[in-house]
Amino acid sequence: MITSHFYVKDASCKTYHLRPFGDIQEGSVGLDKELFKQYVKAVQSDPEGFTVGMGDMTDSFRPTIQHRLISTFNDDDGSRDEFYDIHRRHMIKVAEMLAPVISAGRGCLGLFDGHHFMRYLDTGMTSTQYLCQVLKDMTKRSVPYLGEMS
């Protein structure tokens, strides 16, 4: 885990709220879209709120099958990279869903990997690192990568 220090700009003696989110499992039938909409409303209505992503933003290609899928590409780097591109496109959809959360309040302290992340062998980064990058480009707000698991 990466240890980070967070400083509240222009802090004063008042209450700040930490609103964690995680285990969203975008791509799963178990995603409760109404509950997530309620969370987004709560975050957007709290100007003193911070968010932090606790991992498992997506459910696609669970760790149990990732290794089997990747091993099928042992002799075909092009197909492996195409597979990663498919996953990155999915992560862009996840970013679009998370953008209102990242843009609200005082911002996002960062994102953890969880255990449903994917390591892209073509770039060496994880899907969560990629998500942080996409969210920063999308929202113009820094989204630090906080490491594997919390």
Side-chain angles (χ1 to χ4, degrees), residues 123-142:
T123 63
M125 69 174 30
T126 70
S127 53
T128 307
Q129 287 172 304
Y130 179 72
L131 181 59
C132 289
Q133 183 182 70
V134 171
L135 284 165
K136 181 179 180 182
D137 293 344
M138 199 176 277
T139 66
K140 307 301 183 226
R141 283 190 139 175
S142 177

Side-chain angles (χ1 to χ4, degrees), residues 91-116:
M91 295 309 290
I92 291 169
K93 290 179 183 177
V94 173
E96 290 167 351
M97 183 182 85
L98 292 178
V101 171
I102 304 304
S103 299
R106 289 188 168 259
C108 182
L109 299 177
L111 303 180
F112 286 100
D113 275 321
H115 74 284
H116 283 245

Side-chain angles (χ1 to χ4, degrees), residues 36-59:
F36 188 74
K37 285 179 187 176
Q38 290 173 20
Y39 173 78
V40 171
K41 281 183 182 180
V43 168
Q44 289 176 326
S45 67
D46 184 4
E48 300 306 330
F50 291 93
T51 58
V52 61
M54 303 304 293
D56 296 344
M57 302 301 140
T58 181
D59 191 38

